[in-house]
Amino acid sequence: MSERAPRPHEAESHRVVSRPNTTFKPRRRGLSPTRQAQFETWLQRWGLDDHGEMLDWSDVFAAGTAAVVLDIGFGHGEATIAMAGAEPDVAIVGVEVHTPGVVNVLDAIEHTPLPNVRMVHGDVLRFLVRVPSASLSGIRI
């Protein structure tokens, strides 16, 4: 009996393809030109990148902010906005991929105002590497 040659898919079966983990299925829809401009301006002012150096919360928030809460996947942000207004001494970092929801919270930060809130437009798994160990008072999902 002769040995058969491996098929192309069998020969490559030992390869491992590394894919980044994600916590979401992106839902993107376009914004109007006016809203897009507001989004970009507000995100520059109130946003945190999902990648970069380790954060120091005292550099991100005003002095005297003792508690920092991570709010993951807040959707349109109604609960985030309500909690931020009810607890002005708690710093909230909202992480969301849904652009209209991020814009909604950014609008509230600008117009309510809510200086105790920062936004991350991206995946929480990428952002977590920027969060110092044992630096959060809570996580809301």
Side-chain angles (χ1 to χ4, degrees), residues 58-123:
S58 63
D59 291 340
V60 175
F61 295 101
T65 304
V68 178
V69 173
L70 190 63
D71 190 8
I72 303 169
F74 55 78
H76 283 285
E78 295 91 348
T80 302
I81 294 165
M83 287 185 282
E87 301 176 298
D89 57 328
V90 174
I92 299 173
V93 179
V95 184
E96 178 60 68
V97 297
H98 185 58
T99 306
V102 175
V103 173
N104 192 44
V105 175
L106 288 168
D107 191 312
I109 294 170
E110 278 286 313
H111 295 103
T112 300
L114 298 172
N116 58 322
V117 180
R118 298 295 181 274
M119 290 286 94
V120 177
H121 185 229
D123 189 313

